Amino acid sequence: MTEVTDRISRRQVDKFAERRAQLATSALRTLSELGYARTSLREIAQNSEFSHGVLHYYFRDKVELITACVKQYKAECVTRYDQIVVTAKTAEGLRKDFAEALATTCREDASMHRLWYDLRNQALFEESFRKDVLEIDQTLEQMIWRVVTTYADLAGRPLAVTPGTAYGLLDGLFTQALLRHLSGVPGATEDLAAAAHQTLPKLLDA
Amino acid sequence: MTEVTDRISRRQVDKFAERRAQLATSALRTLSELGYARTSLREIAQNSEFSHGVLHYYFRDKVELITACVKQYKAECVTRYDQIVVTAKTAEGLRKDFAEALATTCREDASMHRLWYDLRNQALFEESFRKDVLEIDQTLEQMIWRVVTTYADLAGRPLAVTPGTAYGLLDGLFTQALLRHLSGVPGATEDLAAAAHQTLPKLLDA
DNA sequence: GACTTCCTTGGACAACTGTCAAGAAAAGCG
DNA sequence: CGCTTTTCTTGACAGTTGTCCAAGGAAGTC
């Protein structure tokens, strides 16, 4: 009996979680297009295949929906550059691949990334976002740290910076490139690749 | 006749501009506290000594008000580190003063800076903000560039990065520190000072 | 088949938004 | 003083927002 009900309730939970994810994906699309400030629940629902009422069946309130979106986005980000790390054979190869991957991300995932920065900024004002944002930020920092440590290993030189510093520096380059790219400044992503390529060895000791 | 009317109209213009500035200052206080997404014109008016209707007497619409706020903020920022540049005698002194000034700014002007980042992010979504934001961003880049070039001069070593890269790197450190500081992470501003202190010489050629 | 539980809809709600206009109040001017 | 212009307040407007709920459909169970 318990087995059956367990199986049932688990199936229900799965379906529930599945629809939550589906709605979150839909919301992410709308959010990345309009930004946090201008996105309403009705707008999210309208861009999905459901009515606006259903959002409150799957999410307690707006904050819980947005938080779910952020968490879902996290999963997408976390492994973005791991392939590069794994396949890297030389320091120079890693440096080149990483710099170009950054530029490609900036070019092709600009909308999702401006949303990430938007939500990270909301955390500066609204305490309710802070926990999740800090968690994602730390995951990104670790992702960068994997790249940087691998680069140092391949180069056979010790690292000269902390994980936080390495992440802050590279994230700053990305932020700037994103603003310029979305503003239509020509060569913004190429400049990002060049700057990242130039910065990576500076994170190492002489 | 023309002289008199000119004087009068100029006085009127001055009074007009003065009140605009006064309202913008009030709005900046509210904006820096609530963030762009949650700030309404009524809230701004309530935190000023005027009624909400007066805002539309001095500003055509919300965008014009916010833009005026941003421009006013710019004037405050632009000369922030110039004193340090002017009084610097040695590279080491400049490096130490600048790193500590960054940390102090992060500690004491956190609210204004989160607003700046908030508005800069809005520019990623709303085209109407882009022009002014890019202008301010460039001004900040130049401010950083004055610091960095002075540092290189005093150190007697050539610079290895572009103005954009230098600004991006340092701005990234600041952004990260701001998030941590506002999230209550202990030592966030001290870490910023250390990271900036460590980063400055890396911008120079060996 | 009846019955229960789950899911979804669409409408209602109060609160809030930016905007505007009519008129009061204040200031400037003859 | 009166008169005009500038400045400000107040209330109204149409639209939007997050939230909630009654109703009915869908799906699953016996």
Side-chain angles (χ1 to χ4, degrees):
Chain A
M1 220 276 283
T2 30
E3 277 180 27
V4 176
T5 53
D6 274 7
R7 205 186 321 140
I8 289 171
S9 69
R10 191 143 87 85
R11 180 168 49 194
Q12 283 169 352
V13 166
D14 285 351
K15 274 188 71 178
F16 192 82
E18 209 171 297
R19 177 117 311 168
R20 263 177 74 103
Q22 184 182 357
L23 289 169
T25 302
S26 217
L28 271 176
R29 211 178 39 237
T30 306
L31 278 165
S32 69
E33 214 49 53
L34 297 178
Y36 173 78
R38 295 189 301 172
T39 301
S40 67
L41 294 180
R42 279 174 169 81
E43 192 89 32
I44 290 174
Q46 210 155 10
N47 288 14
S48 79
E49 49 182 334
F50 298 98
S51 68
H52 69 270
V54 82
L55 289 174
H56 277 87
Y57 183 79
Y58 289 96
F59 302 96
R60 197 183 325 120
D61 54 14
K62 194 184 181 182
V63 172
E64 191 178 293
L65 167 59
I66 305 279
T67 301
C69 289
V70 175
K71 283 186 177 173
Q72 185 152 326
Y73 172 75
K74 165 189 181 175
E76 189 196 311
C77 266
V78 71
T79 59
R80 183 160 281 165
Y81 300 113
D82 283 358
Q83 193 58 27
I84 294 174
V85 171
V86 172
T87 61
K89 294 297 174 197
T90 67
E92 278 312 294
L94 175 57
R95 178 154 85 120
K96 183 162 168 293
D97 289 350
F98 174 67
E100 279 173 10
L102 268 184
T104 303
T105 303
C106 185
R107 210 178 301 117
E108 291 174 7
D109 278 347
S111 287
M112 282 307 278
H113 264 84
R114 70 179 172 183
L115 174 62
W116 157 242
Y117 287 129
D118 199 12
L119 295 176
R120 187 169 73 172
N121 249 282
Q122 284 307 310
L124 299 182
F125 293 96
E126 292 187 55
E127 212 255 322
S128 45
F129 285 155
R130 229 163 258 174
K131 186 175 154 293
D132 293 294
V133 162
L134 282 174
E135 199 179 310
I136 296 179
D137 208 50
Q138 193 145 342
T139 308
L140 293 172
E141 181 180 309
Q142 288 163 2
M143 183 180 74
I144 292 295
W145 192 238
R146 285 196 294 274
V147 174
V148 171
T149 51
T150 306
Y151 173 68
D153 282 351
L154 290 172
R157 289 161 61 192
L159 272 157
V161 294
T162 64
T165 301
Y167 173 56
L169 292 171
L170 291 168
D171 188 61
L173 293 178
F174 192 90
T175 305
Q176 186 191 49
L178 187 64
L179 173 61
R180 295 187 181 180
H181 174 61
L182 287 171
S183 301
V185 175
T189 57
E190 288 82 356
D191 287 352
L192 169 59
H197 191 264
Q198 193 182 20
T199 299
L200 226 38
K202 295 190 188 300
L203 306 179
L204 307 180
D205 256 334
Chain B
M1 221 276 281
T2 31
E3 279 182 26
V4 176
T5 52
D6 274 9
R7 206 187 319 142
I8 289 171
S9 69
R10 192 145 85 84
R11 179 168 50 195
Q12 283 168 353
V13 167
D14 285 352
K15 274 189 70 178
F16 192 82
E18 208 171 298
R19 177 116 310 164
R20 262 177 76 102
Q22 184 182 355
L23 288 169
T25 302
S26 219
L28 271 175
R29 211 179 38 238
T30 306
L31 277 166
S32 68
E33 214 51 52
L34 297 179
Y36 174 78
R38 294 190 303 172
T39 300
S40 67
L41 294 180
R42 281 175 167 80
E43 192 89 31
I44 290 174
Q46 210 154 11
N47 288 13
S48 78
E49 48 181 335
F50 300 98
S51 68
H52 70 270
V54 82
L55 289 173
H56 277 86
Y57 183 76
Y58 288 97
F59 303 94
R60 196 182 326 119
D61 55 14
K62 195 184 181 183
V63 172
E64 190 178 293
L65 168 59
I66 306 278
T67 302
C69 289
V70 175
K71 285 187 177 175
Q72 184 152 328
Y73 172 75
K74 166 191 180 174
E76 189 197 312
C77 267
V78 71
T79 59
R80 183 159 283 165
Y81 300 113
D82 283 358
Q83 193 58 29
I84 293 175
V85 171
V86 173
T87 60
K89 293 297 174 195
T90 67
E92 278 312 296
L94 175 57
R95 178 154 83 121
K96 184 162 167 291
D97 289 350
F98 174 67
E100 280 174 8
L102 268 185
T104 303
T105 302
C106 185
R107 211 178 301 117
E108 291 175 7
D109 279 347
S111 286
M112 282 307 280
H113 265 85
R114 70 179 172 184
L115 174 61
W116 158 241
Y117 288 128
D118 199 12
L119 295 176
R120 187 168 73 172
N121 250 282
Q122 283 308 308
L124 299 181
F125 293 96
E126 293 188 54
E127 212 255 323
S128 45
F129 286 156
R130 229 163 256 176
K131 187 176 153 290
D132 292 295
V133 161
L134 282 174
E135 199 180 310
I136 297 180
D137 209 49
Q138 192 144 342
T139 309
L140 292 172
E141 181 180 310
Q142 288 164 0
M143 184 181 74
I144 292 296
W145 192 239
R146 284 197 293 275
V147 174
V148 171
T149 52
T150 305
Y151 173 68
D153 282 351
L154 290 172
R157 289 162 60 192
L159 272 157
V161 294
T162 64
T165 301
Y167 173 56
L169 291 170
L170 291 167
D171 188 60
L173 294 179
F174 192 90
T175 305
Q176 186 190 50
L178 188 63
L179 173 61
R180 295 187 180 180
H181 174 61
L182 286 171
S183 300
V185 175
T189 58
E190 287 82 354
D191 288 351
L192 168 60
H197 191 264
Q198 192 182 20
T199 299
L200 226 37
K202 296 189 188 304
L203 306 180
L204 306 181
D205 258 334

